[in-house]
Amino acid sequence: MPEPTEARSADPRAEPTAEQLATQLTAAVSRLLRRLRTTSSDSLLTPTQRSVLARLDDEGPATTAALARAEYVRPQSMRLTLGALESQGLVERAADPADGRKSVISITGTGRTMLAAVRAAKHNWLAEAIAAELDGAERRTVAEAAELIDRLVGK
């Protein structure tokens, strides 16, 4: 059965609509993110745990409530995530200097090492896939696309 004309154009060189490109790009980015997540599955970290470690590494210490808001989860869920990370020695708690009733969570050296290993696994998989699957012209095209995507998301 032929595809609807809205989904694809008869001329492969025809300019795609913004809607068509948005659909295609969303699907491709979703598949890429899923694949990147699975490259480091042996790290024993959930996607949420990896995200929290990355946030603490990039943005510095934070309270449980601030992390929950940033990750769009309930504080109770964030407490469970932080408890698991703390039990592995990947984060540590300290009294909030501004309010001793609160605690601030920080990434530990072990957490940074784990995060670096996860990031390296993702980077290595992607670099190997690019080297194996794309020729020079295709790499240049992907580089141009990456610049455009950076511009779309506000770099």
Side-chain angles (χ1 to χ4, degrees), residues 13-53:
R13 293 168 298 170
E15 185 174 315
T17 66
E19 292 78 15
Q20 289 169 330
L21 194 50
T23 299
Q24 184 181 9
L25 186 57
T26 299
V29 169
S30 293
R31 286 190 307 274
L32 176 61
L33 289 174
R34 263 193 310 278
R35 184 61 192 258
L36 287 171
R37 269 188 236 116
T38 63
T39 61
S40 58
S41 61
D42 61 337
S43 72
L44 304 176
L45 294 176
T46 67
T48 301
Q49 290 169 344
R50 287 192 300 263
S51 181
V52 168
L53 279 181

Side-chain angles (χ1 to χ4, degrees), residues 32 35 122-135 139:
L32 176 61
R35 184 61 192 258
K122 292 176 185 203
H123 176 86
N124 292 340
W125 171 81
L126 188 54
E128 288 172 12
I130 289 169
E133 297 294 327
L134 303 179
D135 65 24
R139 288 184 203 153

Side-chain angles (χ1 to χ4, degrees), residues 66-153:
L67 287 168
R69 279 191 304 277
E71 295 290 324
Y72 301 102
V73 299
R74 293 188 179 107
Q76 298 86 340
S77 297
M78 183 55 64
R79 277 194 285 279
L80 292 173
T81 298
L82 292 172
L85 291 170
E86 196 171 18
S87 72
Q88 296 177 66
L90 304 177
V91 299
E92 61 189 2
R93 244 171 247 281
D96 185 336
D99 184 349
R101 297 169 296 173
K102 296 179 182 176
S103 57
V104 176
I105 311 299
S106 302
I107 189 169
T108 64
T110 303
R112 279 194 179 84
T113 299
M114 173 74 79
L115 186 59
V118 168
R119 287 175 170 164
K122 292 176 185 203
H123 176 86
N124 292 340
W125 171 81
L126 188 54
E128 288 172 12
I130 289 169
E133 297 294 327
L134 303 179
D135 65 24
E138 290 169 324
R139 288 184 203 153
R140 284 188 295 279
T141 299
V142 170
E144 291 170 7
E147 289 176 15
L148 294 172
I149 291 167
D150 275 345
R151 191 171 89 201
L152 282 176
V153 298

